């Protein structure tokens, strides 16, 4: 992949401006490759907040901005207020009935979805070099527990019953995340460790997006979870709206599952692979998972095997997750049986004992991060990873 610097980014914009002197800004942007597009609305806002030193005050003001329908607090700089007023609007194509249906689907399949998005998505993201580098060298890279808790805020929010309702908080979390991503783009270029192009492009966001709904839906299908067409459409829809709220241009958001699968197959392979940073992050994450579930109930080998089962051998090898010859076949047999039992498709005696250990581990993991997520909030960082 071509390595782009900030200078390349400016040159690309200037070239586009020259070529598209007459057409609209949107047309000009659309003509650029998505790997050279970031977030032209949020990026200058976070850069200005950082350069003028007002981020701590802005974080303080936004701490209690928690509900989708809540007015913005007084005292924000005008340019931030203008950005947020626009960014908080859901797209006009958002369909309330579908969002409600998605909420019900997320609730009924919460255990699988949280495990897939949390553990599975986590392991996939550490095997995406640009993401692993970004996470490692940004502030949160030094405190992965807090980082995961903060990221879970958006994940749990997308999956909650009131996600996009007035009393929900998905809009809040997404708008804050957009500002965080923009701050990360600005800050990482100042890191002595950052040797790569400006991260979190439009393409990068979709790469990560596919490790969430697209990957989860594929695994649910592999496990033969019965899902109605309306439910699967609704689940896609809530993630389409979320992509929009995270600043992804509408034309890049897949319209159908067929388009999502095709786009995922196109963008994931060239954007995945091993890195030293990804291996280290994986080890920290799995270590936490083993420690944090009730002591002694879930050993690190079991956690390794579960992670390997969720993401497969290729990604596991990139992440250097240890092979567990004893546990891997047990999980491969037990998990689908647990799913079939939970879906009412087979009777209890057919479920092996180990399945309940996995079920309990997944539950504890979710509960733990739900609790941690409640104790924290998404904030705009002012620094990179401390040296
Ligand atoms: C921060 C979600 C894509 C790198 C965050 C946060 C959330 C989030 C909720 C706030 C949590 C925090 O401040 O720690 C998402 C979602 C994505 C996505 C849902 C795609 C659908 C990406 C991509 C990259 C990235 C593609 C890098 C290539 C980061 C980094 C931070 C962050 C470095 C801040 C870490 C820090 O300051 O500690 N993201 N993200 N994200 N994200 Fe993303």
């Amino acid at each position: 992949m071509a390595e782009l610097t900030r200078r390349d980014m400016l040159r690309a914009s200037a070239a586009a401006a020259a070529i598209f002197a007459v057409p609209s800004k949107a047309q000009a942007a659309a003509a650029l490759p998505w790997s050279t597009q970031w977030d032209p609305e949020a990026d200058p806002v976070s850069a200005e907040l950082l350069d003028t030193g007002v981020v701590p005050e802005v974080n303080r003001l936004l701490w209690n901005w928690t509900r989708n329908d809540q007015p913005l607090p007084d005292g924000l700089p005008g340019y931030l207020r203008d950005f947020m007023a626009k960014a908080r609007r859901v797209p006009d194509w958002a369909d309330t009935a579908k969002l409600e249906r998605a909420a019900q689907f997320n609730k009924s399949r919460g255990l699988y979805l949280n495990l897939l998005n949390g553990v599975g998505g986590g392991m996939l993201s550490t095997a995406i070099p640009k993401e692993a580098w970004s996470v490692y060298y940004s502030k949160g890279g030094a405190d992965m527990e807090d980082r995961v808790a903060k990221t879970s805020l958006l994940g749990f929010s997308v999956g909650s019953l009131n996600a996009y309702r007035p009393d929900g908080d998905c809009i809040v979390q997404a708008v804050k995340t957009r500002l965080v991503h923009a701050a990360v783009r600005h800050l990482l270029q100042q890191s002595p460790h950052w040797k790569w192009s400006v991260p979190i492009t439009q393409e990068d966001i979709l790469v990560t997006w596919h490790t969430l709904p697209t990957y989860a839906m594929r695994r649910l299908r592999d496990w033969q979870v019965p899902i109605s067409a309306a439910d699967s459409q609704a689940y896609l829809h809530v993630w389409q709206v979320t992509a929009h709220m995270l600043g992804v241009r509408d034309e890049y958001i897949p319209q159908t599952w067929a388009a999502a699968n095709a786009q995922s197959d196109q963008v994931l392979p060239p954007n995945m692979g091993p890195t030293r940073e990804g291996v280290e992050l994986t080890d920290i994450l799995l270590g936490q998972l083993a420690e944090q579930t009730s002591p002694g109930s879930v050993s690190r080998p079991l956690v390794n095997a579960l992670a390997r089962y969720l993401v497969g051998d290729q990604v596991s090898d990139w992440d250097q997750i240890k092979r567990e010859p004893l546990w891997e076949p047990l999980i491969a047999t037990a998990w689908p049986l647990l799913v079939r039992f939970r879906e009412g498709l087979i009777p209890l005696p057919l479920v092996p004992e180990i399945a309940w250990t996995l079920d309990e581990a997944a539950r504890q993991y979710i509960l733990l991060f739900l609790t941690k997520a409640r104790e924290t909030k998404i904030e705009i960082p002012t620094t990179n990873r401390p040296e």
Side-chain angles (χ1 to χ4, degrees), residues 128-143 146-155 158 173-174 176-178 180-181 183-185 187-188 194 198-213 239 242-243 246 248 377-385:
I128 298 169
K130 264 180 100 180
E131 185 157 0
W133 291 321
S134 304
V135 170
Y136 190 92
Y137 293 111
S138 64
K139 184 168 175 245
D143 183 353
D146 186 55
R147 172 69 227 259
V148 175
K150 285 195 162 104
T151 309
S152 314
L153 271 168
L154 181 67
V158 174
Q173 310 297 8
K176 287 184 177 177
T177 300
R178 237 179 121 177
V180 172
H181 283 161
V184 166
R185 291 185 191 103
L187 288 167
L188 277 177
W194 192 257
V198 180
I200 327 185
T201 62
Q202 292 278 313
E203 182 188 20
D204 292 336
I205 299 179
L206 275 154
V207 167
T208 301
W209 190 89
H210 287 298
T211 67
L212 297 164
W239 276 101
T242 304
L246 287 171
V248 176
K377 292 192 186 172
I378 296 175
E379 289 191 291
I380 306 170
T382 52
T383 58
N384 287 312
R385 182 188 177 100

Side-chain angles (χ1 to χ4, degrees), residues 1-3 34-35 123-133 197 200-208 210-211 263-275 315 318:
M1 203 204 306
E3 299 293 0
W34 63 348
S35 56
M123 295 304 100
L124 290 169
S125 69
T126 52
I128 298 169
K130 264 180 100 180
E131 185 157 0
W133 291 321
S197 54
I200 327 185
T201 62
Q202 292 278 313
E203 182 188 20
D204 292 336
I205 299 179
L206 275 154
V207 167
T208 301
H210 287 298
T211 67
Q263 194 184 56
S264 176
D265 291 343
Q266 179 205 331
V267 298
L268 256 55
N271 282 293
M272 295 189 76
T275 58
V315 170
W318 284 335

Side-chain angles (χ1 to χ4, degrees), residues 282-299:
T282 304
D283 188 48
I284 295 170
L285 292 171
L286 293 182
Q288 280 170 3
L289 180 54
E291 267 167 37
Q292 287 165 348
T293 37
S294 71
S297 74
V298 182
S299 65

Side-chain angles (χ1 to χ4, degrees), residues 294-326:
S294 71
S297 74
V298 182
S299 65
R300 178 64 192 262
L302 180 66
V303 166
N304 289 341
L306 177 62
R308 289 195 75 93
Y309 173 68
L310 291 175
V311 298
D313 282 338
Q314 168 80 90
V315 170
S316 302
D317 291 346
W318 284 335
D319 281 340
Q320 291 184 22
I321 303 172
K322 266 184 73 184
R323 287 191 175 266
E324 302 290 351
L326 185 74

